[in-house]
Amino acid sequence: MQARTILASSVLIAASAMTAQADTSNARIALSNNYAGNSWRQAMLESWNKETAQAVADGIVAEAPAFTTAENQATEQAAQIQNMILEGYDAIVINAASPTALNGAIREACDAGIVVVTFDGIATEPCAWRIEVDFHELGRMQLEFMAGQLPEGGNLLEIRGLAGTSVDDNIHAGILDGVAEYPQFTIVGSVHGDWAGDVSQREVAGILPSLPEIAGIVTQGGDGYGAAQAFAAAGRDMPLIFMGNRQDELLWWKEQDEAGGYVTQSASIAPGVATAGFWIAQQILDGAEPPKDLIVPMLVVTQDTLDEALANTPEGSVANTEYSQQDAIDVINAATGG
Amino acid sequence: MSISRKPWLWSFVAALVVFVITIAATAGASTGGVMQAALTFAAISIIVGTGQMFVITLGPGNIDLAVPATMTLAATLALKYMDGVAVLIVPGLLIALGIGVAIGVLNYALIKLLRIPPIIATLAMSFVIQSTAIATNRGLRIKPPQMLADFTTGSLLGLPNLAWVALLVTVAAWLLLNRTVYGRWVPAIGQSIAAARMAGVPVDGVRLATYVLCAVLAAIAGYLMASFSGGAALDMGKEYLLMSIAVVVIGGSSVAGGDSNVPGIWGASLFMYLVVTMLNTYGLQSGARQIFTGIIIITVILVASGRRRAS
């Protein structure tokens, strides 16, 4: 009897979701964020607030508040998501503290008929959508670029991210594939810079005295400027450093270029990817049915776009872009082959 | 004097062994470079660790968990105030010091007035401090004045300037501990707070001064580190919580308090930096690196404390 009621009501929910086509003006979408303690996350929250405030003003959704947990802990974030379920949000957009530890809470949200979209820090629960940039390609493209600049190849120093994270593993795997593709390059040293300038500077300074001449540095973002400072302090020849869109990296690149010519490239995941999560959640509420795994483009800065990127990036922040509703529709169409 | 009376010796022995293994990778060619790097980066751990040592010496339960947040806030506010202007270097430093004093006083106010254990009080404070740092500058990295950046990355007589500052802090700390009344009171409180009180030691004043000292040293370290690395980052202090405690323990101070050791912090800080450098130089994978780091630290502590017990 009870099972039949649940079945009937879930059919009802499904039916009402169908008929909700093109009207999300009453929808409430929450951001569940696990960490705010670095410039990337701060830019992310700023993007979210900017883009959703406009969406609320335009009457596209009713509200879209952002919530950040005090400690970067999965248990705390799971409790936060459970509160959001009780508060009756229509969709929850999550930057997850752990790929697996939130799966239970996410399952509960899905069972309550809530659309769950994870991005950047994604969750593996099958009922949730996952928005990622192609981190493997971010690693591989660095070698492709280096091969174009340094056809004769040479020694590489690899600066990795936070050990044990999927992002670090994926970029690293991409770099290894890139080295296999362009065998004129050899990785002669590797340190973990944790995506932080000061950590990278410290680790590079330590390994540098024992390294042969370095032609290029492959990176993961946030580490390029620290590496450059370590090389400068040791009085070594400045290698080709692939940058990661931080303002201090871009500014240093421009200064080097003006001082005597310095050609490189920069790429990273834009903090505004949170707004892609917002719009994709809105589209799903609107009736779109994208596949669960979605790829958004990376933000690449080249020699030609350097001045523009630098002009648009606040001092000390990270190059950013917000994703629009149209961008989300394009991502969904690309994924569905439409 | 026997070796057992010098527990700090072991941290230096450990640092030396790791150093020799590291430079052996390049048959000694990297000697100068590794030494310079080690002294530069160990300096920050030394400054932070010295403050933590005073707090730990106050006895069981005394610890300052607000060290990372203090570094971040002092650096953030000082660099924001200076905004790259050279004449503001000294006022910027005074701001950092002022923040250190304020945080130290607040820490002890929580401990004393609200009777919260230090481990909870300083942890709670660190949330407040970190949130203040986030609110004031939203994680934007502001560059230090060029003159200050040059000073922090420069050298004098072949020794990095940061190491000179750390040496100054160490000498001052040693004098404070061994040549002043305050320096007698701190371990006295650590050995028995009741006995110290009966002996007429102004327990609250000494504890307050010690928490302030620790916060001020953390603030100085944050100011120097941000100037060195080209700006304050919100997570810049992250590693210095465990680091500040580790260098105290490896350096031969008693983690139960009452017995501190100033020179050992140098050996321990150099050792902690060189271990990572050694494992990087030999190209170990990150998992193996962390396991090795753990094993090496445990070994050093066991060897050092084993000698102490044997005495």
Side-chain angles (χ1 to χ4, degrees):
Chain A
M1 176 64 201
Q2 204 180 10
R4 199 178 300 161
T5 323
I6 292 170
L7 193 68
S9 60
S10 63
V11 168
L12 257 176
I13 289 167
S16 64
M18 300 281 196
T19 54
Q21 193 88 5
D23 183 23
T24 57
S25 58
N26 290 322
R28 298 161 65 231
I29 301 176
L31 172 67
S32 164
N33 175 39
N34 66 314
Y35 185 61
N38 60 35
S39 57
W40 195 94
R41 290 298 179 107
Q42 287 295 324
M44 180 192 95
L45 291 171
E46 209 166 284
S47 284
W48 173 274
N49 289 339
K50 192 165 127 190
E51 192 72 15
T52 60
Q54 192 57 45
V56 171
D58 293 346
I60 299 171
V61 295
E63 62 165 338
F67 301 96
T68 300
T69 53
E71 288 222 64
N72 184 8
Q73 273 176 14
T75 44
E76 198 186 350
Q77 196 175 14
Q80 183 196 51
I81 291 168
Q82 279 158 344
N83 281 333
M84 288 173 177
I85 298 170
L86 294 176
E87 287 174 42
Y89 284 98
D90 299 287
I92 305 175
V93 181
I94 302 175
N95 195 342
S98 150
T100 50
L102 296 178
N103 285 353
I106 290 173
R107 180 82 245 168
E108 286 174 39
C110 293
D111 289 346
I114 297 169
V115 170
V116 178
V117 176
T118 63
F119 69 97
D120 186 37
I122 52 143
T124 55
E125 167 55 48
C127 76
W129 278 265
R130 285 166 292 279
I131 303 174
E132 289 185 272
V133 305
D134 191 344
F135 285 117
H136 185 276
E137 173 62 15
L138 176 58
R140 200 204 60 83
M141 69 184 279
Q142 300 189 36
L143 269 296
E144 187 178 297
F145 177 76
M146 297 244 166
Q149 294 295 316
L150 310 163
E152 72 286 4
N155 293 326
L156 297 180
L157 170 63
E158 182 186 8
I159 305 181
R160 298 186 58 172
L162 206 55
T165 58
S166 64
V167 174
D168 174 56
D169 288 341
N170 287 337
I171 298 178
H172 175 63
I175 286 171
L176 292 187
D177 285 355
V179 171
E181 199 177 325
Y182 301 98
Q184 67 267 42
F185 289 101
T186 319
I187 295 177
V188 294
S190 162
V191 297
H192 280 271
D194 298 356
W195 305 312
D198 48 345
V199 179
S200 306
Q201 184 183 8
R202 189 173 69 221
E203 301 295 297
V204 172
I207 196 174
L208 193 49
S210 62
L211 292 179
E213 192 183 332
I214 299 293
I217 304 183
V218 284
T219 62
Q220 296 199 357
D223 37 20
Y225 181 66
Q229 282 189 305
F231 269 76
R236 300 271 295 236
D237 290 339
M238 197 57 71
L240 171 56
I241 306 174
F242 198 93
M243 293 300 181
N245 289 2
R246 270 60 170 185
Q247 190 261 352
D248 55 3
E249 296 178 335
L250 300 179
L251 184 66
W252 179 86
W253 172 9
K254 187 179 160 65
E255 284 168 0
Q256 292 293 306
D257 193 33
E258 282 170 354
Y262 190 86
V263 178
T264 187
Q265 204 175 64
S266 177
S268 187
I269 175 172
V273 68
T275 60
F278 169 76
W279 285 118
I280 285 168
Q282 187 268 337
Q283 285 297 306
I284 296 168
L285 290 174
D286 200 10
E289 290 173 349
K292 297 287 180 174
D293 288 290
L294 296 164
I295 301 282
V296 294
M298 240 171 321
L299 183 58
V300 179
V301 179
T302 65
Q303 206 78 20
D304 297 330
T305 59
L306 174 59
D307 287 336
E308 188 193 342
L310 205 47
N312 292 332
T313 307
E315 188 186 341
S317 187
V318 51
N320 196 6
T321 181
E322 274 91 33
Y323 293 81
S324 66
Q325 188 177 33
Q326 189 56 47
D327 290 333
I329 293 170
D330 291 345
V331 166
I332 292 170
N333 285 342
T336 49
Chain B
M1 210 189 266
S2 71
I3 279 177
S4 57
R5 298 277 300 275
K6 295 180 181 172
W8 53 269
L9 203 63
W10 293 102
S11 64
F12 280 94
V13 170
L16 188 69
V17 169
V18 174
F19 179 66
V20 169
I21 297 175
T22 307
I23 59 171
T26 55
S30 60
T31 306
V34 172
M35 195 123 75
Q36 284 285 326
L39 284 167
T40 303
F41 292 97
I44 302 290
S45 315
I46 291 165
I47 298 170
V48 180
T50 303
Q52 190 72 270
M53 181 198 72
F54 275 93
V55 171
I56 288 176
T57 306
L58 284 175
N62 281 292
I63 197 151
D64 186 354
L65 300 186
V67 159
T70 306
M71 292 173 72
T72 307
L73 182 64
T76 303
L77 289 183
L79 268 77
K80 189 178 184 187
Y81 173 76
M82 293 188 283
D83 199 20
V85 181
V87 293
L88 296 179
I89 289 176
V90 173
L93 178 62
L94 292 177
I95 286 182
L97 295 176
I99 290 164
V101 172
I103 290 173
V105 170
L106 286 173
N107 269 338
Y108 194 63
L110 285 185
I111 295 167
K112 181 66 189 174
L113 300 179
L114 302 183
R115 298 177 181 222
I116 306 174
I119 194 165
I120 307 290
T122 54
L123 185 64
M125 263 313 282
S126 84
F127 280 122
V128 176
I129 303 164
Q130 186 73 20
S131 303
T132 312
I134 292 175
T136 44
N137 214 24
R138 299 275 153 206
L140 300 182
R141 269 171 88 93
I142 296 176
K143 287 237 165 37
Q146 192 56 44
M147 202 197 287
L148 183 57
D150 290 345
F151 168 77
T152 49
T153 50
S155 301
L156 180 70
L157 304 175
L159 199 61
N161 287 341
L162 286 184
W164 282 111
V165 176
L167 189 64
L168 216 64
V169 168
T170 299
V171 170
W174 190 87
L175 289 174
L176 198 58
L177 260 180
N178 295 289
R179 293 285 182 270
T180 69
V181 180
Y182 166 81
R184 302 283 90 202
W185 284 340
V186 172
I189 294 172
Q191 281 157 22
S192 168
I193 195 164
R197 203 166 260 139
M198 286 193 195
V201 174
V203 172
D204 285 321
V206 172
R207 290 180 77 196
L208 170 67
T210 306
Y211 277 92
V212 169
L213 177 66
C214 179
V216 165
L217 286 174
I220 293 173
Y223 176 86
L224 291 173
M225 186 178 153
S227 304
F228 177 83
S229 64
L234 285 176
D235 45 6
M236 60 180 274
K238 198 173 57 181
E239 291 178 31
Y240 289 89
L241 178 56
L242 284 179
M243 181 65 83
S244 71
I245 300 166
V247 298
V248 173
V249 176
I250 297 173
S253 293
S254 165
V255 77
D259 180 19
S260 50
N261 196 304
V262 180
I265 291 178
W266 274 76
S269 298
L270 290 168
F271 167 71
M272 290 296 284
Y273 182 75
L274 287 167
V275 165
V276 178
T277 300
M278 174 183 76
L279 298 177
N280 278 338
T281 303
Y282 283 92
L284 265 76
Q285 288 300 308
S286 63
R289 266 180 238 183
Q290 289 178 356
I291 293 172
F292 266 95
T293 312
I295 292 175
I296 293 169
I297 291 172
I298 292 170
T299 311
V300 170
I301 291 179
L302 278 181
V303 170
S305 64
R307 296 284 157 174
R308 222 176 301 163
R309 268 198 304 276
S311 71

